[in-house]
Amino acid sequence: MAFRLKIVPEVTHINFFRWQWLTFGLSAVLMVASVIVTLTMGLNFGIDFRGGTTIRAESNTAFDVGEYRQVLGGLDLGDVAITEVFDPTFGPDRHVAQIRIGTTSETGSVTPEELNIIEAALKEVDPAVRFTAVESVGPKVSNELIMTAFKAVGAATIAILIYIWLRFEWQFAIGAVVALVHDVLLTIGLFSLFQIRFDLTTIAALLTILGYSVNDTVVVFDRLRENLIKYKTTPLIDLMNLTVNETLSRTVMTAVTTAIALIALIVLGGDVIRGFVFAMLWGVTVGCYSTIYVAKNIVLWTGVKRDWSKKPVEDGAARFRDAP
């Protein structure tokens, strides 16, 4: 007999509504707290949103990104991000690095004096390095990026609301969107509380969290609709408990396998993608919680259509048969 790993038993009888007011109340408090923390402490915006300078450095010899980061870290330049650029058209003697340096100056760019200091510091570890392009992003452009990023998150949420509404009923749509807002607010609040760098990769993580969370919610809602057809007289609260128990194994297994990959990335992936992976790991956790304890509670309180079977089409002449 083949061995199968079971994190959750095949049949469970957990009462997820036993502490519904406590769990939902905790979620509401955390959402409000996230908004307050974000408004008071603000976000630690990265170079994409704060402005800065992007330097394209090329060398004939292979370089170590770690050495570049260590050298520039001692210059007290602020936020520095270094990535190696890979291109199949590059020859064996062409190595390119992209260096992004944030700044707090009003111009939003690195001064020529600072640029000379940076070049001299890099030449100490790589004498062949040279700067082929220097571009600056000012605060005005950064503010436009912030607005565009949050509009993207809002547009995705509205699109999901419309999809769930058309796919199920408006009660399901409201439950799904409240769960999505819960996930996004808690993620942003955590980034604000610990002042984790918030940049375009974090926005990408937020959009990915929306997709992951709504996928998990739709699976539960789809099973709930099947059970609504199957058990027409069962109380709605019992039917929802049955639905979550039936899909619990799938929910936990999906979350665990995703978390394993994300933990590997956060440990081995390096500093460049650490913020993105951390947001994803946190989003997977709160996404599972919101699917079980937020979305279904909204559906329970707003009520839902119990008989999903199609009504037979009434014969046009039948309405006149009993007429006097």
Side-chain angles (χ1 to χ4, degrees), residues 16-17 20 23-24 26-28 30-31 172-187 209-218 220-221 240 244 248 251 255 282-301:
F16 291 98
F17 286 94
Q20 60 173 321
T23 55
F24 192 82
L26 177 62
S27 297
L30 290 177
M31 290 171 66
F172 292 89
I174 293 176
V177 168
V178 171
L180 295 180
V181 172
H182 169 273
D183 300 343
V184 171
L185 285 182
L186 262 62
T187 303
I209 291 170
L210 291 180
Y212 179 91
S213 182
V214 77
N215 174 71
D216 199 19
T217 304
V218 165
V220 177
F221 282 173
M240 286 188 168
V244 178
L248 184 62
T251 300
W282 171 254
V284 168
T285 304
V286 297
C288 291
Y289 177 88
S290 65
T291 297
I292 297 175
Y293 289 106
V294 177
K296 67 178 183 58
N297 283 4
I298 298 294
V299 175
L300 176 65
W301 295 336

Side-chain angles (χ1 to χ4, degrees), residues 13 15-16 42 50 59 93 112 114 129 145 168 175 193 229 233 248 268 273-274 304:
H13 302 281
N15 184 6
F16 291 98
R50 194 175 65 243
S59 177
D93 58 346
E114 292 174 332
V129 69
L145 284 175
F168 298 97
L193 180 63
I229 300 174
T233 60
L248 184 62
L268 305 174
I273 63 171
R274 186 163 289 127
V304 67

Side-chain angles (χ1 to χ4, degrees), residues 1-318:
M1 183 176 181
F3 172 76
R4 293 190 302 168
L5 177 63
K6 295 181 181 180
I7 300 179
V8 178
E10 293 183 0
V11 180
T12 58
H13 302 281
I14 303 174
N15 184 6
F16 291 98
F17 286 94
R18 183 178 182 181
W19 309 104
Q20 60 173 321
W21 293 109
L22 177 61
T23 55
F24 192 82
L26 177 62
S27 297
V29 170
L30 290 177
M31 290 171 66
V32 174
S34 297
V35 174
I36 294 175
V37 168
T38 303
L39 293 177
T40 55
M41 298 183 61
L43 291 169
N44 180 21
F45 288 117
I47 300 171
D48 301 322
F49 295 144
R50 194 175 65 243
T53 300
T54 300
I55 303 172
R56 184 181 177 90
E58 296 191 16
S59 177
N60 298 329
T61 59
F63 55 86
D64 187 354
V65 174
E67 289 184 353
Y68 275 27
R69 186 176 292 113
Q70 184 178 2
V71 169
L72 296 182
L75 299 180
D76 195 21
L77 298 172
D79 189 11
V80 178
I82 305 174
T83 56
E84 187 172 359
V85 180
F86 296 96
D87 193 313
T89 61
F90 291 170
D93 58 346
R94 186 181 182 186
H95 304 274
V96 180
Q98 180 176 274
I99 306 171
R100 299 193 300 172
I101 303 173
T103 180
T104 56
S105 63
E106 296 180 357
T107 60
S109 61
V110 174
T111 63
E113 293 78 10
E114 292 174 332
L115 196 62
N116 293 332
I117 294 174
I118 294 170
E119 186 175 10
L122 292 179
K123 284 185 177 294
E124 293 181 2
V125 296
D126 185 4
V129 69
R130 64 187 184 279
F131 292 169
T132 58
V134 179
E135 299 178 353
S136 297
V137 178
K140 183 178 179 180
V141 177
S142 301
N143 291 333
E144 292 177 357
L145 284 175
I146 294 174
M147 294 303 300
T148 303
F150 282 101
K151 285 179 181 178
V153 176
T157 305
I158 294 174
I160 291 172
L161 170 67
I162 297 173
Y163 166 74
I164 300 295
W165 196 326
L166 296 176
R167 181 71 172 81
F168 298 97
E169 289 287 333
W170 64 269
Q171 296 93 334
F172 292 89
I174 293 176
V177 168
V178 171
L180 295 180
V181 172
H182 169 273
D183 300 343
V184 171
L185 285 182
L186 262 62
T187 303
I188 294 177
L190 189 70
F191 269 69
S192 177
L193 180 63
F194 294 103
Q195 288 297 293
I196 304 172
R197 188 173 58 205
F198 193 92
D199 50 21
L200 285 178
T201 60
T202 310
I203 296 296
L206 290 177
L207 294 174
T208 308
I209 291 170
L210 291 180
Y212 179 91
S213 182
V214 77
N215 174 71
D216 199 19
T217 304
V218 165
V219 169
V220 177
F221 282 173
D222 199 52
R223 178 61 64 88
L224 175 60
R225 188 171 61 174
E226 292 177 0
N227 288 334
L228 286 170
I229 300 174
K230 188 176 181 181
Y231 306 102
K232 294 183 174 62
T233 60
T234 305
L236 184 58
I237 188 171
D238 296 334
L239 204 57
M240 286 188 168
N241 262 327
L242 173 65
T243 300
V244 178
N245 277 282
E246 288 178 343
T247 57
L248 184 62
S249 177
R250 181 263 176 200
T251 300
V252 173
M253 285 298 296
T254 304
V256 170
T257 52
T258 307
I260 290 174
L262 292 174
I263 290 173
L265 286 174
I266 203 170
V267 173
L268 305 174
D271 182 68
V272 177
I273 63 171
R274 186 163 289 127
F276 171 83
V277 179
F278 178 78
M280 281 292 301
L281 187 60
W282 171 254
V284 168
T285 304
V286 297
C288 291
Y289 177 88
S290 65
T291 297
I292 297 175
Y293 289 106
V294 177
K296 67 178 183 58
N297 283 4
I298 298 294
V299 175
L300 176 65
W301 295 336
T302 55
V304 67
K305 182 179 178 180
R306 296 305 310 270
D307 188 5
W308 288 82
S309 57
K310 294 183 178 180
K311 296 182 179 180
V313 180
E314 185 180 3
D315 186 3

